[in-house]
């Protein structure tokens, strides 16, 4: 409880900074609108205003400041505008409505979870293979690393096009992109986790004449659990990014990515920001949920 | 080799190939251990005492000579569950309870569920840890953890216990206590014990035979048959006989040391 006050102070500072930043970002637009509406602004002509620094315009037109936080299409929407939009599009709309963020969030979330499941399963299988087989270690690991050096934004359209040409569309292509991003942290974390038992532990199993499979089930997998959860937290966030990126190149009609895209087409910055926040809140909730599962599992294992 | 010999080493050689050239870990080691013996291996680090134990357990392959355990190769002996190995660290799995840890080798070796429970209960009693089966390792002291690891090695009825400095990381008071318990356990079970240590009092107190080793190359410099009775209270360490054996061990260690220099 002692940390509540400092946390609130930091949050308040960030919000204050945001409001302050909105003033210079939006002041030109506000003055242009005011001029069109026939109000008095300094300097009076748009051409002259373009010559001036934004701070000069703010100082010369202090009366315009409140309007910078209330524009319909601001360059940088104020926090309360984003909050109002978030509230309006979640609590204010039926969840089946195309304008509901809950609807769009679920479209993205379902692809995220499917991709995360595929990526995690694939990652664990690859890690087990890499640890058990020298050949896989030398042949698969380099490709796993190379796979992550290609920008996903360049690869995503190709994945969607290739899958579409074989008749796969809808949630699967997005899930594939999610899986592509999330398998990697799982592979890296699990390889480290499966190799975490020391030489003495492995020697002990040898004195029992244990098979490789017994070593995996009884020693390596349980020992890798803390590593797995650290990887899963990175993996689920990467999955969400993958699903959103997967919604961009198709001009998808649903999902948080589609909201971002539509918002940028029509200059709806408030919509973009609220979709961004929805994605961030979703990611935080997923990571938090994994943290909770981690605590439960490790406590059940007796190691936390 | 007679009927009571359990371990027999003949002209054993082991050379490790390292980045700095070959290291002669064992050279011309000849030794036989009889059934029911308590044999300690003592010597400075690098004398090959742990390596010899690992060769008996088939954790290292000798580069020359032969070693047999119960008349078999060490690998065969392992498959026949001839020995239990106790390491310097207890190495209990933190995610298993004490009973779960003792059950580990039993699960791997395919004992039935009922037999596992029965054996776990029996060895917990042997090492004086009744009632601690449900605890996790972190809830036990270092000495109790090491006792649990000995119980784990006892569960599958191996005739031979190979112990690699099992009490090396414990303080002296706990070590004295565990030494007494180990002797009692040895008397009750009649097991053959090979015990690596670098403590002279520990070696003299526990052993029926003390094998003194020296490094570069690792070899046996002296084998001392202890005249002490099998039943030994801690006070025996103050007797003239005890001090005399300890003196001979020390002389052996010193001689081996000056050879190397």
């Amino acid at each position: 409880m002692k940390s509540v006050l400092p946390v609130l102070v930091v949050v308040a500072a960030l919000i204050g900074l945001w409001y302050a930043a909105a003033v210079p970002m939006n002041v030109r637009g506000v003055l242009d609108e005011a001029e069109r509406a026939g109000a008095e602004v300094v300097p009076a002509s748009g051409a002259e205003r373009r010559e001036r620094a934004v701070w000069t315009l703010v100082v010369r037109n202090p009366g315009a400041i409140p309007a910078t936080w209330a524009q319909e299409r601001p360059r940088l929407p104020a926090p309360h505008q984003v909050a109002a939009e978030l509230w309006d599009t979640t609590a204010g709309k039926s969840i089946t409505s195309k304008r509901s963020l809950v609807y769009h969030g679920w479209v993205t979330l379902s692809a995220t979870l499917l991709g995360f499941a595929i990526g995690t399963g694939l990652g664990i299988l690859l890690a087990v293979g890499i640890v058990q087989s020298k050949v896989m270690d030398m042949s698969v690991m380099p490709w796993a690393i190379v796979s992550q050096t290609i920008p996903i934004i360049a690869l995503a359209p190709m994945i969607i096009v290739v899958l579409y040409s074989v008749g796969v569309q809808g949630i699967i292509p997005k899930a594939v992109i999610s899986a592509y991003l999330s398998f990697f942290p799982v592979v890296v974390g699990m390889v480290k986790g499966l190799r975490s038992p020391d030489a003495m532990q492995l020697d002990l199993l040898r004195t029992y004449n244990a098979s490789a499979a017994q070593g995996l089930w009884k020693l390596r997998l349980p020992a890798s659990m803390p590593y797995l959860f650290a990887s899963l937290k990175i993996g689920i966030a990467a999955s969400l990014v993958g699903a959103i990126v997967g919604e961009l190149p198709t001009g998808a009609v649903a999902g948080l990515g589609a909201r971002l895209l539509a918002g940028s087409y029509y200059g709806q910055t408030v919509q973009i920001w609220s979709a961004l926040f929805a994605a961030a809140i979703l990611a935080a909730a997923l990571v938090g949920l994994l943290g909770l599962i981690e605590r439960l599992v490790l406590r059940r294992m007796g190691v936390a | 080799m007679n009927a009571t010999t359990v371990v027999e080493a003949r002209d054993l050689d082991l050379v490790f190939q390292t980045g700095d050239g070959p290291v002669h870990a064992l050279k011309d080691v000849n030794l036989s251990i009889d059934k029911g013996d308590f044999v300690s291996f003592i010597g400075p680090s690098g004398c090959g005492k742990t390596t010899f134990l690992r060769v008996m357990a088939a954790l290292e392959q000798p580069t020359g000579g032969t070693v047999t355990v119960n008349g078999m190769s060490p690998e065969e002996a392992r498959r026949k569950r001839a020995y239990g190995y106790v390491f310097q660290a207890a190495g209990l799995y933190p995610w298993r309870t004490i009973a779960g840890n003792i059950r580990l080798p039993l699960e791997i070796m395919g004992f039935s569920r009922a037999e596992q429970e029965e054996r776990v209960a029996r060895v917990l009693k042997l090492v004086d840890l009744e009632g601690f089966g449900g605890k996790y390792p972190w809830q036990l002291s270092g000495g109790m953890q090491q006792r649990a690891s000995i119980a784990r090695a006892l569960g599958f009825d191996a005739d031979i216990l190979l112990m690699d400095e099992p009490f090396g990381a414990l303080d002296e008071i706990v070590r004295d206590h565990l030494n007494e318990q180990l002797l009692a356990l040895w008397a009750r079970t009649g097991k053959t014990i090979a015990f690596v240590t670098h403590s002279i009092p520990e070696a003299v107190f526990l052993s029926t035979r003390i094998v003194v080793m020296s490094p570069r190359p690792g070899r046996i410099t002296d084998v001392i048959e202890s005249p002490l009775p099998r039943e030994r209270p801690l006070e025996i360490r103050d007797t003239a006989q005890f001090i005399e054996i300890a003196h001979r061990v020390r002389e052996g260690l010193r001689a081996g040391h000056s050879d190397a220099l």
Side-chain angles (χ1 to χ4, degrees), chain A residues 200-201 203-211 214 218-220 222-223 299-304, chain B residues 54 58-59 78-79 83 85 87 89 91 93-96 104-105 107-109 136 138 152 156:
Chain A
M200 197 208 78
Q201 297 279 18
D203 279 345
L204 184 67
L205 284 180
R206 279 174 70 195
T207 69
Y208 301 149
N209 231 6
S211 66
Q214 284 171 327
K218 302 217 182 276
L219 175 60
R220 290 187 188 273
R299 189 175 305 163
R300 200 176 155 82
M301 284 172 70
V303 290
Chain B
R54 290 174 64 84
L59 292 173
R78 168 150 89 204
R79 281 193 290 276
Y83 59 83
Y85 204 106
F87 291 87
Y93 291 1
W95 57 86
R96 281 176 176 248
L104 173 73
E107 286 171 10
I108 289 172
M109 294 168 182
Y136 281 97
W138 60 269
R152 183 178 56 188
F156 45 94

Side-chain angles (χ1 to χ4, degrees), chain A residues 6-65:
Chain A
V7 167
L8 286 180
V9 168
V10 170
V11 170
L14 285 174
I15 291 175
L17 194 67
W18 188 352
Y19 272 110
V23 175
M25 287 293 285
N26 300 333
V27 69
R28 284 185 201 279
V30 167
L31 294 181
D32 287 348
E33 281 168 26
E35 187 194 358
R36 274 198 295 277
E40 189 107 338
V41 294
V42 188
S45 87
E48 261 184 282
R49 283 199 301 276
R50 271 192 289 282
E51 305 283 305
R52 298 279 190 277
V54 284
W55 290 113
T56 318
L57 296 178
V58 173
V59 172
R60 294 273 193 88
N61 304 278
I65 289 175

